[in-house]
């Protein structure tokens, strides 16, 4: 068999890491949550989470026994932890994507509303309903339900198009993705350029002073310690995607060592830009404004504000609509093009028949059509639950909607990495002789120690991310209960369902097969004994 041709240079890998991981949206989301403190957290998260993933995924991908398998969490775990854990790892990675889609779809819909109206149409609807006599909570709920319904329609449309394999969607994805990357870099550069006078005369922003460098002030994280811990998964998800780079290791010129160095450099660049982005945003825009705008609006308002343009002015509206158009194209492209990706990868990694014949039925293109339908149904249910339970003051409804679903998504997205880090610890502790071409650290005890720290951070993040803080229960028990049900209930239901499928379609069948073989052997032995007599 001919070896795969190595076509990717170090520079290409560095750019691919940057393109895969970096996103202005992650900077802004965490700025809304943490303020100036996000700058420090991006650095810490990069050190204890992202960089270990870079090295570990490279080591996993270099395992000789997995030479003919595509690099994936299920493949790693099947080899190291066994087929059942490999299946559960693949499943956890798959169902966390369902929550990601439930976040991406409404975010894209809001971007479309900015393109059409120049503002957040759903917050505007809530305002109009309130002016016509509806109370704030119900007005926000109605607008949130409408947001959820439109997001559902777009997701089903994307599922249908992805199922058909329309290639032109890939072009939209590339254009939107590249433009989004450029927006992020341009924003950071412009912010730093505008903010430079702050060190000279304190004019940008006019209220900035040394006190604001205190990360626990109102410019940083203004909340209780539990709330701070529960938001920590937001930092981690900012670096998600780096683990997928391992699939390109065999395509990299000069082999695994060059790949590992390149991905590390790319990741360091991303971490640096994340830190700079958090700092730049804090220097240019007061945290109070970011909090006021909320998660759904800040992404579109920051550019206009940076140039001191009113949002309803011609220049401000043009900038907002351009940013929204780029965001909408990127979101639609991602939904339409990648909707089929996770479900297709999942069914390609798991044992045949484990999810049942109906779910694993594929079309001529190898796409599990029924699996895509089931995926869309689950996303629909998630969006409706969030929409119906969303409340809040006028202008906060859509942000509350996104905050709730994003909190669940970030917590869920960290969960598969439990399998990732546990697999690596076992690899270094029990299976050190497994042949591979690169290692995190040659000394296994150093590697295990670092990985254990990352694992503990993830466990803490999941616990606090899934359980709302006592303060939030007092202020809004409905939202807290919804968050708890989506996170904890989601994990229990989805993982329980996977274990049930494994028992019914694998474990029980194997047990029956074993019993049948035993009976056959007993009959044959009995017949032989009779013949001998």
């Amino acid at each position: 068999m001919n070896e795969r041709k190595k076509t990717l240079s170090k520079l290409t890998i560095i750019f691919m890491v940057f393109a895969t991981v970096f996103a202005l949206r992650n900077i802004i989301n965490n700025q809304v949550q943490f303020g100036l403190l996000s700058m420090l957290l991006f650095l810490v998260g990069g050190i204890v989470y992202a960089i270990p993933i870079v090295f570990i995924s490279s080591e996993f991908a270099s395992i000789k026994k997995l030479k003919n398998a595509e690099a994936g969490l299920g493949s790693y775990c099947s080899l190291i932890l066994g087929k059942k854990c490999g299946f559960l790892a693949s499943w956890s990675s798959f169902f966390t994507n369902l929550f990601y889609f439930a976040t991406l779809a409404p975010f894209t819909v809001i971007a479309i509303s900015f393109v059409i109206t120049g503002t957040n149409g759903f917050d505007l609807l809530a305002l109009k309903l309130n002016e016509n006599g509806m109370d704030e909570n119900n007005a926000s709920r109605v607008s949130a339900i409408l947001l959820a319904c439109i997001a559902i329609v777009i997701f089903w449309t994307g599922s249908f198009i992805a199922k058909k394999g329309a290639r032109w969607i890939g072009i939209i994805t590339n254009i939107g993705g590249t433009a989004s990357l450029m927006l992020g870099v341009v924003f950071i550069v412009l912010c730093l350029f505008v903010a430079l006078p702050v060190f000279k005369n304190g004019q940008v922003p006019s209220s900035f002073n040394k006190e604001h460098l205190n990360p626990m002030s109102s410019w940083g994280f203004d909340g209780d310690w539990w709330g701070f811990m529960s938001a920590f998964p937001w930092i981690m998800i900012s670096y998600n995607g780096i683990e997928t780079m391992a699939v390109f290791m065999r395509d990299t010129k000069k082999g695994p060592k060059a790949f590992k160095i390149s991905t590390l450099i790319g990741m360091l660049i991303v971490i640096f830009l994340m830190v700079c982005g958090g700092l730049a945003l804090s220097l240019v825009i007061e945290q109070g404004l970011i909090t006021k705008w909320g998660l759904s609006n800040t992404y579109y308002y920051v550019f206009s504000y940076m140039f001191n343009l009113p949002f309803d002015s011609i220049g401000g509206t043009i900038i907002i609509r351009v940013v929204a158009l780029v965001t909408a194209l990127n979101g639609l492209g991602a939904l339409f093009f990648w909707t089929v990706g996770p479900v297709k990868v999942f069914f390609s990694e798991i044992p045949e028949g484990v999810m049942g014949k109906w779910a694993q039925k594929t079309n001529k293109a190898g796409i599990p059509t029924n699996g895509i339908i089931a995926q869309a149904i689950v996303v629909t249910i998630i969006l409706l639950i969030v929409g119906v339970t969303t409340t809040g003051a006028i202008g906060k409804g859509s942000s509350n909607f996104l905050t709730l679903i994003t909190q669940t998504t970030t917590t869920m997205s960290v969960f598969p990495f439990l399998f990732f880090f546990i697999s690596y610890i076992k690899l270094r502790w029990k299976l050190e002789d497994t042949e591979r071409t690169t290692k995190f650290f040659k000394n296994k005890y150093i590697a295990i120690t670092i990985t254990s720290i990352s694992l503990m951070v993830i466990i803490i993040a999941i616990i606090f991310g899934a359980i709302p803080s006592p303060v939030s229960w007092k202020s809004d028990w409905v939202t807290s209960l919804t968050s708890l049900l989506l996170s904890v209930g989601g994990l229990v239901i989805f993982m329980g369902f996977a274990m049930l499928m494994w028992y019914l379609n694998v474990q029980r069948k194997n047990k029956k097969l074993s019993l049948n073989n035993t009976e056959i052997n007993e009959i044959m032995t009995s017949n032989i004994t009779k013949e001998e007599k």
Side-chain angles (χ1 to χ4, degrees), residues 39 113 118 122 130 175 237 296 327 371 429:
M39 180 180 66
S113 79
F122 299 95
N130 181 247
I175 294 173
I237 198 177
S296 61
T327 306
W429 189 262

Side-chain angles (χ1 to χ4, degrees), residues 47 53 59 72 90 106 119 144 170 194 207 211 251 306 331 454 495 510:
I47 293 171
I53 289 175
E59 184 171 343
S90 293
T119 187
V194 172
S207 61
E211 290 297 320
D251 302 309
M306 186 168 54
S454 299
M495 294 306 293
N510 289 341

Side-chain angles (χ1 to χ4, degrees), residues 403-414:
T403 300
L404 176 57
I405 189 60
T406 304
Q407 178 64 48
T408 304
T409 301
T410 54
T411 303
M412 291 288 193
S413 296
V414 177

Side-chain angles (χ1 to χ4, degrees), residues 234-513:
W234 291 56
I235 292 289
M236 293 182 172
I237 198 177
S238 300
Y239 294 118
N240 276 15
I242 185 61
E243 74 284 354
T244 63
M245 288 298 300
V247 299
F248 301 107
M249 190 174 75
R250 298 190 196 106
D251 302 309
T252 305
K253 296 176 182 178
K254 298 184 180 180
K257 186 176 181 180
F259 173 81
K260 187 165 69 171
I261 293 172
S262 301
T263 50
L264 176 61
I265 293 172
M267 196 69 248
L268 290 174
I269 292 173
V270 171
I271 294 170
F272 175 75
L273 286 175
M274 292 287 201
V275 173
C276 287
L279 174 62
L281 201 57
S282 292
L283 291 175
V284 173
I285 303 175
E286 294 185 32
Q287 185 61 29
L289 277 177
I290 294 175
T291 303
K292 178 183 176 182
W293 294 337
L295 201 61
S296 61
N297 302 316
T298 302
Y299 191 82
Y300 309 100
Y301 288 160
V302 289
F303 283 91
S304 295
Y305 183 84
M306 186 168 54
F307 292 108
N308 200 27
L309 293 172
F311 302 143
D312 56 354
S313 67
I314 295 176
T317 302
I318 290 174
I319 290 175
I320 288 172
R321 282 185 161 140
V322 168
V323 173
L325 178 62
V326 170
T327 306
L329 286 175
N330 188 33
L332 288 172
L335 280 173
F336 290 5
F337 191 71
W338 293 111
T339 298
V340 72
V343 66
K344 189 174 181 180
V345 170
F346 168 65
F347 283 114
S348 69
E349 283 189 334
I350 64 175
E352 186 177 352
V354 68
M355 294 302 294
K357 292 181 179 179
W358 183 86
Q360 293 188 232
K361 181 182 178 182
T362 59
N363 60 14
K364 293 180 180 179
I367 297 173
T369 52
N370 291 336
I372 289 179
I373 293 172
Q375 173 180 267
I377 291 172
V378 173
V379 172
T380 298
I381 294 171
I382 294 170
L383 285 170
L384 287 176
I385 290 173
V386 176
V388 170
T389 57
T390 295
T391 57
I394 299 302
K396 290 289 186 180
S398 60
S399 290
N400 291 346
F401 182 102
L402 287 182
T403 300
L404 176 57
I405 189 60
T406 304
Q407 178 64 48
T408 304
T409 301
T410 54
T411 303
M412 291 288 193
S413 296
V414 177
F415 182 75
F417 287 93
L418 288 177
F419 292 97
F420 183 85
F421 287 116
I422 290 172
S423 294
Y424 185 70
I425 291 172
K426 183 177 179 181
L427 175 68
R428 298 308 301 267
W429 189 262
K430 298 288 186 180
L431 305 171
E432 182 67 359
D433 293 335
T434 301
E435 192 175 358
R436 50 205 187 274
T437 55
T438 185
K439 291 184 179 181
F440 184 0
F441 276 97
K442 288 185 178 180
N443 187 310
K444 71 176 184 179
Y445 297 107
I446 295 176
I448 289 172
T449 300
I450 294 173
T451 307
S452 298
I453 293 171
S454 299
L455 180 62
M456 289 303 300
V457 170
I458 285 176
I459 292 172
I460 292 170
I462 290 173
I463 292 172
F464 283 94
I467 304 174
S469 71
V471 173
S472 66
W473 281 99
K474 291 180 181 179
S475 61
D476 188 354
W477 69 269
V478 174
T479 300
S480 297
L481 180 61
T482 305
S483 179
L484 181 69
L485 291 175
L486 285 173
S487 298
V488 178
L491 284 173
V492 171
I493 291 171
F494 280 107
M495 294 306 293
F497 176 77
M499 287 188 280
L500 178 63
M501 289 295 99
W502 181 268
Y503 171 76
L504 293 176
N505 297 320
V506 178
Q507 190 173 334
R508 190 173 66 170
K509 285 185 177 181
N510 289 341
K511 188 176 181 180
K512 286 183 178 180
L513 184 62

